[in-house]
Amino acid sequence: MLKIFFFLLVIGSLNVYSQNERIFLHGKISDKLGGLANVHVINLNTKHGTYTNDNGNFKIPVKLNDSLRFSFVGYETKLLKVTEKYFGIKNNNFLLNKTTYTLDEVNLKRNNLLGFLSADSKLIKKEKVINAETLKLPFAGSRILTPAERRLQTAQGGSNPYMLGLLGGSVSLDLIINSISGRIKKLKKIKAIEESEKNISFIKNIHERYIINELSISKDNLYRFIYFCEADSKFIRILNQGEIAMINFLKQKSKEFKNL
């Protein structure tokens, strides 16, 4: 009797543990042709997300009654509530259906168009756009400078307070003085640091959970790892290629980081 009571107590404890602690749910996302790569999988309760690999497989920490969302461009978004049947199975299979687009009805009105683009384009009435560029305001359309960029521009003579004639041209007095004093060089370093910190903050905000949970980089080493990635000469190019390229880059760099 005592053994049975102890057995039931252990089972009950495991039950409570499984309901309160998240474990990895393994799954595969496919369409009618096979596994789908780079499908975004997110736990709506924890906001933790991941992507499927080349074969459509993924793993994500969940607990009972969590809600998962599967989304991929060109496919219907799928919502899933985690129930007991998804635990204990090595791999769960999920199917995504392609999105069907329905075009709105278009009513055609009588017109005097001739069917020739060069002639018809002159007959189409265009609404007048009013903005800083059409009004020809100063600096319209120019990018807003950061504090470091503004200081550097001013030091290089952006405000042009004094000009010196030089071989038929002119050179800003600010540029000459600040170049000799070393201020230009210092401000360029500050600008580079500002851009680096902005990129590092962006990676932390977007990929922190992925780096810690999927790449197994400890929280104490998070910034050290991101700085390690940012020092790579390919970092800026990868950053401009988009989120998927950055995830693959981080995965590769994590292997190098762990080998150091």
Side-chain angles (χ1 to χ4, degrees):
M1 181 62 73
L2 183 60
K3 290 182 178 179
I4 295 175
F5 174 77
F6 179 74
F7 176 75
L8 293 175
L9 182 63
V10 171
I11 294 298
S13 300
L14 291 175
N15 232 355
V16 173
Y17 178 81
S18 63
Q19 290 177 0
N20 293 298
E21 296 295 329
R22 287 182 168 82
I23 61 175
F24 278 108
L25 181 147
H26 295 261
K28 180 176 182 178
I29 300 178
S30 311
D31 62 3
K32 294 180 180 179
L33 299 179
L36 288 173
N38 297 322
V39 177
H40 191 199
V41 182
I42 185 170
N43 187 327
L44 298 177
N45 296 79
T46 63
K47 306 304 180 186
H48 171 264
T50 186
Y51 289 86
T52 57
N53 62 15
D54 293 340
N55 298 318
N57 296 314
F58 72 93
K59 65 176 182 177
I60 189 169
V62 299
K63 71 175 183 180
L64 202 60
N65 297 323
D66 276 358
S67 295
L68 299 181
R69 182 178 69 197
F70 308 139
S71 58
F72 191 49
V73 177
Y75 288 79
E76 295 177 357
T77 297
K78 187 182 186 71
L79 295 177
L80 173 75
K81 186 172 184 179
V82 178
T83 59
E84 293 180 353
K85 71 176 183 179
Y86 297 110
F87 295 104
I89 302 176
K90 180 62 178 176
N91 212 26
N92 297 282
N93 294 307
F94 305 104
L95 181 67
L96 287 188
N97 297 316
K98 286 198 172 184
T99 303
T100 301
Y101 295 97
T102 303
L103 299 178
D104 295 333
E105 183 180 352
V106 177
N107 294 320
L108 298 178
K109 297 180 180 180
R110 294 181 62 84
N111 56 70
N112 57 351
L113 299 180
L114 303 175
F116 298 98
L117 182 61
S118 58
D120 292 342
S121 61
K122 299 176 182 178
L123 301 176
I124 298 174
K125 294 182 179 179
K126 299 179 181 179
E127 294 184 6
K128 188 175 182 180
V129 178
I130 300 176
N131 54 34
E133 293 183 18
T134 58
L135 294 176
K136 297 182 179 180
L137 296 178
F139 310 110
S142 59
R143 185 175 64 86
I144 299 176
L145 300 179
T146 66
E149 288 173 332
R150 284 199 300 270
R151 289 194 294 269
L152 179 59
Q153 184 187 65
T154 301
Q156 290 176 327
S159 56
N160 295 329
Y162 301 103
M163 302 296 293
L164 294 178
L166 183 63
L167 299 178
S170 61
V171 178
S172 168
L173 183 60
D174 286 347
L175 177 60
I176 296 174
I177 295 173
N178 290 320
S179 296
I180 295 173
S181 67
R183 179 171 171 78
I184 296 291
K185 185 176 181 180
K186 179 181 178 181
L187 289 175
K188 285 182 177 180
K189 287 183 179 180
I190 293 175
K191 178 177 175 290
I193 292 172
E194 182 185 76
E195 292 176 351
S196 174
E197 291 298 327
K198 183 178 70 173
N199 292 334
I200 287 168
S201 295
F202 175 80
I203 296 300
K204 178 185 180 297
N205 293 336
I206 299 299
H207 299 291
E208 178 178 3
R209 288 182 178 273
Y210 175 75
I211 293 171
I212 294 175
N213 296 323
E214 295 295 321
L215 302 183
S216 301
I217 302 295
S218 68
K219 198 167 185 178
D220 292 338
N221 283 325
L222 177 63
Y223 274 105
R224 189 177 292 112
F225 172 67
I226 298 176
Y227 275 106
F228 173 73
C229 295
E230 196 267 344
D232 193 299
S233 59
K234 301 187 295 292
F235 178 80
I236 297 299
R237 176 170 58 83
I238 297 295
L239 185 64
N240 293 328
Q241 288 177 358
E243 191 171 352
I244 301 301
M246 178 54 67
I247 286 176
N248 292 330
F249 175 74
L250 293 173
K251 186 185 296 184
Q252 178 60 40
K253 296 301 290 185
S254 69
K255 297 176 183 177
E256 300 175 16
F257 184 76
K258 292 173 184 176
N259 288 333
L260 292 177

